């Protein structure tokens, strides 16, 4: 192997297994003239630095592996592959046989669609190309009907290709170009499937007649351990192009070491490491991120008789001087040690270091530049397991201390990826940092993937929250009457987000309040004089909005902004439907108070226990379109298995038709069964349990207050508890259109004792309380801001208060000095406090409030009126 680096630009680095002359200008690129013209017409700005190196070997028909930050861009391979497919020899190959000439494997549906669209865009000039996108469900009948005759390029995913190969083992008989897009994802998420496909490809090429070329093009953003097997077993002397230093270091077998130590002991640890390097005549760079540390290290090395150089921005010696002395030291047989800051490395241009020591944990960008200084000593020996020391010429050592928290998550991901030995201290430190980062997401929305499927596959990169925040999740609770019986509610979906997530209304069986309100609003705004435009538009305020003859209640969610025509636009949310839209501000009407008294009716609905097939994170648009067409605006019966704020999880949800004359409902379909029948959905049995597990991290609140978190038994238990004729629980009856009677009630598997037990397991705080009294009652003022999930229980001689404020749980258990009338006592939540009124059992003054003194409870002297004859009261 040979290594070539372009050091003219700090950002440009390339590691090559064999020499390549780059094509950095489109005019000289190895592409067809028609394709060049097509690229220019589409404002193509390339070729990029990576494209300039990978296009030539791909266009020559060679096996190629490309690792780049640009590795997820299909234009790394599409232009040269299209050029190859235009050659006469390509179409003369394998006459009389069916199957694609090129097959592009993508990690998922979304990427496959992108590649397919690019092929159509850039393949307009290509004769006989006819790209085909194949996305199949699990229905074998659908797979047997797939037609690819005449499609020279097939785009698909590993799971879909294997379904096709089950029915057509000769599918790869004409295949000349196998492209693996995003190899790090393909080999990490579908390892078994990938090697099965590669074995099929190897057999097909071995049985192919004639001397036709067969090549594999693999592109990605990261090196993967399975790429070694790909190169050794399925490729023929491939060109390896890596333009990411960190990935080249993995391929080049740089030995990564993490050395834990105390911050106060870093210098001593550094001296131990340098003692070894001194005996082995190493070229050592010691990196740190500050000038004082450079001076400190240099001084410590000097006092321990270690000859070293130093370089930082304030150094008197320039880069050329330091570089000359560095070379002279090593050539004279003296170990070369240079202590420097990151900003000095690029001017020095050192690439022959044998060891880099990270005295300070490097930032992501700095880490690659530091490793670049060892590039001449990369040793790309392809091995199946861990690399022996004899094959490792370069070493990277990170000094990890208790204060090295800033960039450790990225370092840990890289070391795992590099299959390095990782000390327990790094895991611990990373865990604390990630926990802190999750806390910073506390004001973000709850993760949509978590709600929809019970799991988020990439919590680290996901920008949203993965824990309950009661002040947000419980900000708008259900009115008591919204869910009359959780065993069967009537739902009308109005906004379809995707196949299992909707916004809609829960409709009451008898007199639906929203139906009455909607009629009153429509009648009111029919009168022209009632349509009063809003003078000022304010965020969060409710307004009326007419769309034809229908009037909606809307809330402004974004402040007005003027467009190019100087018309003020506002983003509004339809509070009874869940959708958002942008409208002209002059369309907003003043909404009388009587139309604002009914709480917003839109709720979020999640259908449980079904997810996309093939580990996809998003639903196939075909499924979403099918479900949207079937359910939007129609009545459904559903069993509520869980609630959180204004989100309800239902299982099952059944489309129904009412026959008033016979007083029955007929089940038309079950949404979950409907999705599974497409072949594009899979069972997700852990969904409800994962949601309940998430919510158990917070207290389970009183159902009569907010219907929050009522937790059932497992899904099987839920279905067993219902009647076989219950339309809201029996999917099979839904499919066969059985009728149903009123369902029996189901047990709610959550008692008050369980609620209290869960609450007291949380870390809690005692709120500050002030109190005063009159002859008949005692008033407590609990100092708590914007209380959420509040709960207040009264007994004869005790009051127990709990609530959340700004993510913290506040609890006060007060044992009273005298008795109260519990059923007459009340608690009112205000913006800045909770006011508790305790009605005395016997009229008269209390000499103190509590049996035992409590430092958090004090008299409210602003309200206390003491008579002349009264003696002072005990504060607690």
């Amino acid at each position: 192997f040979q290594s070539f680096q372009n050091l003219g630009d700090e950002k440009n680095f390339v590691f090559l297994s064999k020499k390549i002359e780059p094509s950095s200008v489109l005019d000289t690129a190895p592409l067809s003239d028609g394709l060049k013209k097509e690229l220019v017409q589409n404002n193509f700005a390339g070729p990029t630095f990576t494209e300039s190196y990978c296009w030539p070997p791909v266009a020559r028909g060679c096996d190629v592996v490309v690792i780049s930050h640009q590795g997820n861009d299909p234009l790394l391979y599409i232009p040269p592959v299209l050029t190859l497919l235009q050659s006469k020899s390509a179409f003369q190959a394998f006459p009389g046989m069916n199957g694609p000439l090129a097959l592009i494997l993508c990690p998922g549906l979304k990427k496959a669609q992108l590649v397919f669209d690019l092929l159509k865009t850039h393949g307009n000039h290509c004769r006989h190309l006819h790209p085909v996108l194949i996305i199949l469900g699990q229905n074998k009948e659908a797979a047997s009907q797939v037609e690819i005759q005449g499609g020279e390029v097939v785009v698909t995913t590993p799971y879909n290709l294997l379904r096709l190969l089950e029915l057509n083992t000769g599918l790869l008989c004409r295949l000349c170009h196998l492209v693996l897009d995003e190899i790090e994802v393909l080999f990490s998420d579908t390892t078994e499937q990938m090697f099965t496909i590669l074995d099929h490809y190897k057999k097909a090429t071995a049985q192919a007649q004639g001397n036709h070329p067969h090549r594999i093009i693999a592109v990605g953003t990261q090196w993967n351990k399975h790429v070694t097997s790909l190169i050794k077993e399925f490729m023929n002397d491939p060109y390896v192009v890596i333009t990411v230093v960190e990935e080249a270091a993995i391929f080049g077998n740089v030995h990564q070491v993490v050395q834990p130590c105390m911050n106060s002991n870093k210098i001593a640890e550094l001296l131990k490491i340098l003692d070894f390097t001194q005996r082995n005549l190493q070229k050592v760079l010691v990196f740190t991120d500050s000038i004082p540390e450079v001076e400190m290290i240099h001084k410590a090395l000097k006092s321990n008789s270690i000859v070293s150089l130093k370089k930082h921005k304030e150094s008197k010696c320039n880069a050329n001087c330091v570089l000359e002395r560095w070379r002279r030291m090593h050539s004279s047989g003296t170990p070369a040690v240079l202590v420097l800051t990151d900003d000095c490395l690029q001017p020095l241009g050192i690439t022959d270091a044998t060891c880099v020591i990270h005295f300070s944990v490097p930032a992501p960008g700095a880490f690659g530049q530091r490793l670049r200084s060892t590039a001449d000593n990369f040793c790309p020996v392809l091995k199946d397991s861990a690399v022996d020391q004899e094959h490792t010429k370069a070493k990277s050592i990170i000094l990890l201390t208790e204060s090295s928290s800033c960039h450790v998550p990225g370092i840990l991901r890289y070391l795992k990826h590099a299959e390095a030995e990782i000390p327990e201290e790094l895991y611990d430190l990373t865990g604390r940092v990630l926990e802190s980062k999750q806390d910073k997401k506390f004001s973000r929305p709850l993760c949509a993937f978590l709600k929809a499927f019970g799991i988020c596959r990439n919590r680290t990169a996901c920008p949203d929250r993965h824990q309950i925040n009661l002040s947000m999740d419980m900000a708008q609770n259900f009115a008591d009457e919204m869910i009359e019986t959780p065993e069967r509610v009537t739902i009308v979906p109005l906004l379809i987000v995707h196949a299992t997530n909707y916004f809609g209304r829960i409709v009451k069986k008898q007199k639906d309040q929203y139906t009455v309100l909607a009629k009153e609003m429509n009648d009111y705004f029919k009168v022209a004089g009632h349509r009063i435009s809003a003078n000022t538009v304010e965020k969060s305020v409710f307004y009326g909005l007419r769309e034809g003859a229908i009037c909606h209640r809307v809330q402004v969610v974004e402040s007005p902004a003027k467009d190019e025509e100087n018309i003020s636009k506002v983003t509004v949310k339809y509070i009874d439907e869940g959708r958002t839209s942008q409208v002209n501000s002059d369309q907003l009407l003043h909404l009388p108070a009587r139309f604002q008294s009914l709480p917003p009716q839109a709720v979020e609905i999640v259908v449980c226990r079904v997810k996309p097939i093939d580990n996809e994170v998003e639903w196939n648009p075909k499924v979403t379109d099918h479900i949207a067409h079937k359910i939007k605006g129609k009545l459904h019966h559903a069993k509520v298995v869980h609630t959180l704020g204004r989100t309800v999880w239902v299982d099952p949800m059944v489309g129904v038709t009412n026959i008033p004359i016979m007083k029955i409902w007929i089940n038309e379909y079950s949404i979950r069964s409907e999705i599974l029948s497409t072949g594009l959905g899979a069972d997700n049995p852990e969904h409800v349990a994962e949601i309940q597990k998430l919510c158990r991290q917070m207290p389970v609140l009183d159902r009569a207050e907010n219907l929050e978190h009522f937790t059932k038994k497992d899904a099987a238990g839920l279905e067993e508890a219902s009647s076989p004729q219950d339309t809201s629980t029996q999917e099979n009856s839904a499919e066969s259109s059985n009728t149903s009677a009123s369902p029996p009630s189901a047990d709610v598997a959550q008692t008050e004792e369980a609620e209290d037990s869960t609450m007291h397991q949380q870390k809690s705080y005692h709120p500050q309380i002030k109190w005063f009294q009159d002859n008949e009652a005692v008033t407590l003022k609990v100092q708590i801001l914007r209380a959420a999930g509040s709960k207040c229980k009264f007994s004869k001689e005790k009051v127990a208060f709990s609530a959340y404020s700004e993510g913290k749980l506040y609890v006060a258990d007060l044992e009273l000095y005298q008795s109260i009338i519990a059923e007459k006592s009340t608690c009112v939540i205000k913006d800045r406090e909770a006011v508790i009124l305790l009605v005395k059992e016997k009229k008269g003054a209390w000499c103190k409030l509590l049996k035992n003194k409590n430092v958090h409870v004090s008299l409210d002297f602003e309200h206390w009126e003491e008579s002349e004859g009264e003696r002072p009261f005990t504060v607690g």
Side-chain angles (χ1 to χ4, degrees), residues 128-425:
H128 316 298
L129 181 61
H130 309 304
V132 178
L133 174 64
I134 299 178
I135 300 295
L136 301 170
Q138 293 176 320
N139 297 341
K140 288 190 176 182
E141 184 181 345
S144 64
Q145 294 174 354
V146 171
E147 289 284 343
I148 58 173
Q149 190 167 2
E152 303 297 344
V153 183
V154 167
V155 184
T156 189
T157 68
Y159 287 105
N160 285 291
L161 179 60
L162 287 176
R163 290 183 192 115
L164 281 175
L165 288 172
E166 280 184 22
L167 299 170
N168 183 1
T169 55
L171 182 68
L172 308 182
C173 62
R174 292 180 73 221
L175 190 63
C176 294
H177 313 282
L178 175 60
V179 180
L180 310 180
D181 191 305
E182 294 188 44
I183 50 173
E184 72 282 2
V185 183
L186 290 172
F187 279 115
S188 61
D189 292 356
T190 53
T191 309
E192 183 181 344
Q193 291 78 9
M194 284 303 302
F195 281 108
T196 301
I197 290 167
L198 287 169
D199 285 335
H200 275 284
Y201 172 75
K202 194 172 185 178
K203 289 176 185 176
T205 56
Q207 295 170 2
Q209 298 176 356
N211 189 27
H212 302 291
H214 298 90
R215 78 265 307 162
I216 297 176
I217 302 158
V219 299
T221 59
Q222 291 183 343
W223 187 263
N224 182 284
K225 62 182 180 180
H226 296 299
V227 177
T228 299
S229 298
L230 173 69
I231 291 174
K232 291 181 67 176
E233 298 176 28
F234 302 99
M235 288 180 151
N236 180 26
D237 191 21
Y239 283 82
V240 179
V241 179
I242 306 178
T243 59
V244 182
V245 183
E246 297 92 329
E247 304 306 316
I250 295 175
F251 181 58
N253 293 320
V254 174
H255 185 206
Q256 300 286 348
V257 178
V258 178
Q259 185 61 53
C261 63
M262 296 300 293
N263 205 48
S264 58
N265 202 37
K266 281 175 79 174
I267 290 291
E269 200 64 46
L270 176 63
L271 292 173
K272 285 182 188 177
I273 296 167
L274 289 175
D275 179 58
F276 170 79
T277 59
Q278 294 281 300
R279 287 184 276 113
N280 288 273
L281 199 62
Q282 301 281 311
K283 290 182 175 179
V284 183
L285 296 179
V286 182
F287 286 98
T288 185
D289 54 14
S290 72
I291 294 173
E293 278 194 339
V294 171
E295 295 291 343
M296 178 190 70
I297 296 167
H298 182 67
K299 185 177 180 181
L301 297 183
K302 186 176 181 181
S303 63
N304 283 272
S305 304
I306 297 176
V307 180
S308 67
L309 304 172
K310 66 178 180 180
K311 183 73 179 87
H312 53 70
K313 278 190 173 181
E314 297 177 7
S315 300
K316 294 179 181 178
C317 194
N318 63 31
N320 290 333
C321 173
V322 172
L323 194 58
E324 181 60 32
R325 290 174 64 189
W326 159 271
R327 289 170 178 163
R328 230 178 16 243
M329 286 172 68
H330 190 263
S331 60
S332 64
T334 304
V337 180
L338 172 60
V339 186
L340 72 164
T341 52
D342 293 306
D343 52 12
C344 294
L345 181 58
Q346 202 271 333
L348 289 169
I350 294 173
T351 59
D352 60 347
T354 56
C355 178
V356 293
I357 301 172
H358 309 274
F359 193 82
S360 62
V361 174
F367 189 51
Q369 290 305 308
R370 291 179 182 184
L371 292 178
R372 183 173 179 165
S373 64
T374 65
D376 290 352
N377 292 303
F378 288 177
C379 182
V381 177
L382 292 172
K383 294 180 69 66
D384 295 320
S385 57
V387 180
D388 297 332
Q389 290 291 328
E390 62 186 86
H391 295 128
T392 305
K393 293 175 65 178
K395 182 180 285 190
S396 166
I397 303 172
I398 299 173
L399 293 181
L400 181 73
T401 72
E402 68 275 15
S403 60
S404 308
S405 60
C406 190
H407 304 295
V408 289
I411 295 294
L412 176 60
R413 285 195 299 273
Y414 177 75
L415 294 176
K416 280 183 176 180
H417 167 47
E419 297 187 276
E421 188 175 334
I422 301 171
E424 200 62 39
E425 292 87 342

Side-chain angles (χ1 to χ4, degrees), residues 779-784 787 790-792 794 801 824-838:
T779 301
L780 309 183
K781 288 195 169 185
V782 184
Q783 308 301 304
I784 186 167
S790 62
K791 186 175 184 180
C792 195
F794 303 98
F801 173 83
K824 290 186 178 181
S825 299
T826 60
C827 176
V828 177
I829 303 299
K830 297 185 177 181
D831 187 49
R832 306 184 69 83
E833 63 186 5
V835 180
I836 300 173
L837 183 71
L838 305 176

Side-chain angles (χ1 to χ4, degrees), residues 652-794:
M653 181 169 165
V654 180
V656 293
T657 299
N658 186 19
I659 303 180
I661 298 174
M662 301 178 66
K663 295 184 179 180
I664 60 172
W665 292 88
I666 295 179
N667 299 344
E668 298 288 347
Y669 54 84
S670 159
I671 292 179
R672 180 174 178 274
S673 297
E674 196 74 23
I675 292 171
L676 291 173
S677 70
T678 66
L680 296 167
D683 189 31
N684 185 13
E686 302 299 321
H687 187 181
V688 178
E690 287 296 328
I691 297 299
Q692 292 170 348
K693 178 181 173 183
L694 171 74
C695 293
R696 277 197 298 269
Q697 297 167 6
M698 284 292 174
V700 180
L701 305 179
D702 194 327
R703 182 181 180 277
E705 293 176 11
N706 50 29
L707 291 166
E708 166 65 6
H709 302 305
F710 66 80
T711 308
K712 303 285 187 179
K713 296 177 183 177
D714 58 35
L718 281 169
E719 294 184 3
E720 290 169 8
S722 4
S723 165
Q725 280 77 39
D726 182 359
T727 60
S728 66
T729 60
Q730 297 297 325
E731 294 184 8
N732 292 335
S733 66
E735 292 165 22
S736 56
S737 296
N738 287 342
T739 61
S740 68
S742 298
S745 62
D747 294 331
V748 177
Q750 201 72 44
T751 64
E752 286 193 8
E753 289 79 10
E755 295 174 14
D756 292 339
S757 172
T758 308
M759 180 169 286
H760 287 293
Q761 289 173 8
Q762 310 299 313
K763 182 178 179 181
S764 61
Y765 302 83
H766 199 298
Q768 295 298 316
I769 300 174
K770 291 188 176 184
W771 72 285
F772 61 93
Q773 65 174 320
D774 58 26
N775 207 38
E776 298 182 347
V778 175
T779 301
L780 309 183
K781 288 195 169 185
V782 184
Q783 308 301 304
I784 186 167
L785 285 172
R786 294 180 289 280
S790 62
K791 186 175 184 180
C792 195
K793 290 185 179 180
F794 303 98

Side-chain angles (χ1 to χ4, degrees), residues 309-579:
L309 304 172
K310 66 178 180 180
K311 183 73 179 87
H312 53 70
K313 278 190 173 181
E314 297 177 7
S315 300
K316 294 179 181 178
C317 194
N318 63 31
N320 290 333
C321 173
V322 172
L323 194 58
E324 181 60 32
R325 290 174 64 189
W326 159 271
R327 289 170 178 163
R328 230 178 16 243
M329 286 172 68
H330 190 263
S331 60
S332 64
T334 304
V337 180
L338 172 60
V339 186
L340 72 164
T341 52
D342 293 306
D343 52 12
C344 294
L345 181 58
Q346 202 271 333
L348 289 169
I350 294 173
T351 59
D352 60 347
T354 56
C355 178
V356 293
I357 301 172
H358 309 274
F359 193 82
S360 62
V361 174
F367 189 51
Q369 290 305 308
R370 291 179 182 184
L371 292 178
R372 183 173 179 165
S373 64
T374 65
D376 290 352
N377 292 303
F378 288 177
C379 182
V381 177
L382 292 172
K383 294 180 69 66
D384 295 320
S385 57
V387 180
D388 297 332
Q389 290 291 328
E390 62 186 86
H391 295 128
T392 305
K393 293 175 65 178
K395 182 180 285 190
S396 166
I397 303 172
I398 299 173
L399 293 181
L400 181 73
T401 72
E402 68 275 15
S403 60
S404 308
S405 60
C406 190
H407 304 295
V408 289
I411 295 294
L412 176 60
R413 285 195 299 273
Y414 177 75
L415 294 176
K416 280 183 176 180
H417 167 47
E419 297 187 276
E421 188 175 334
I422 301 171
E424 200 62 39
E425 292 87 342
L426 182 56
Y427 282 111
D428 293 341
L429 191 56
T430 302
R432 292 197 294 273
V433 173
L434 291 178
E435 186 177 347
S436 173
K437 287 187 175 181
Q438 286 296 327
D439 290 342
K440 290 178 181 177
K441 298 178 183 179
F442 208 53
S443 61
R444 295 281 305 166
L446 187 62
C447 173
F449 295 107
L450 203 59
K451 289 195 283 187
F453 309 122
I455 188 171
C456 176
R457 290 173 61 188
N458 195 353
R459 291 192 175 211
T460 305
C462 179
D464 290 331
R465 175 167 47 89
H466 300 91
Q467 54 186 319
I468 300 300
N469 178 347
L470 283 183
S471 63
M472 292 180 65
D473 297 323
M474 296 297 297
Q476 292 180 309
N477 294 332
F478 290 106
D480 288 349
E481 66 273 9
M482 189 168 281
I483 298 179
E484 296 170 304
T485 53
E487 291 76 24
R488 185 173 72 178
V489 295
T490 302
I491 293 174
V492 180
L494 299 169
L495 171 67
I496 313 303
V497 180
H498 57 65
T500 55
N501 184 206
Y502 334 116
F503 284 86
R505 285 199 302 273
I506 293 176
V507 182
K508 288 188 67 176
K509 296 176 184 176
Q510 305 302 323
K511 189 176 181 181
D512 184 59
Q513 290 177 293
Y514 178 76
T515 303
V516 175
L517 175 71
K519 184 179 184 308
E520 289 178 357
M521 281 199 305
N522 288 334
D523 291 343
Y524 176 83
F525 284 110
K526 279 180 183 177
V527 180
H530 292 163
R531 297 196 288 270
I532 303 169
S533 296
N535 293 328
T536 58
V537 175
E538 299 178 37
K539 190 175 179 179
S540 302
V541 174
F542 290 173
Y543 298 94
L545 177 66
R546 289 195 84 206
E547 291 181 342
I550 300 174
C551 185
H552 302 274
R553 298 191 301 170
V554 299
Q555 182 181 30
V556 174
V557 294
E558 277 188 22
S559 301
K562 292 187 177 181
D563 62 11
E564 294 177 356
E565 298 178 2
N566 210 30
I567 297 174
S568 185
K569 296 277 188 181
V570 291
T571 302
V572 297
K573 181 175 183 178
Y574 294 70
I575 62 172
D576 302 309
E577 296 182 18
R579 63 188 169 106

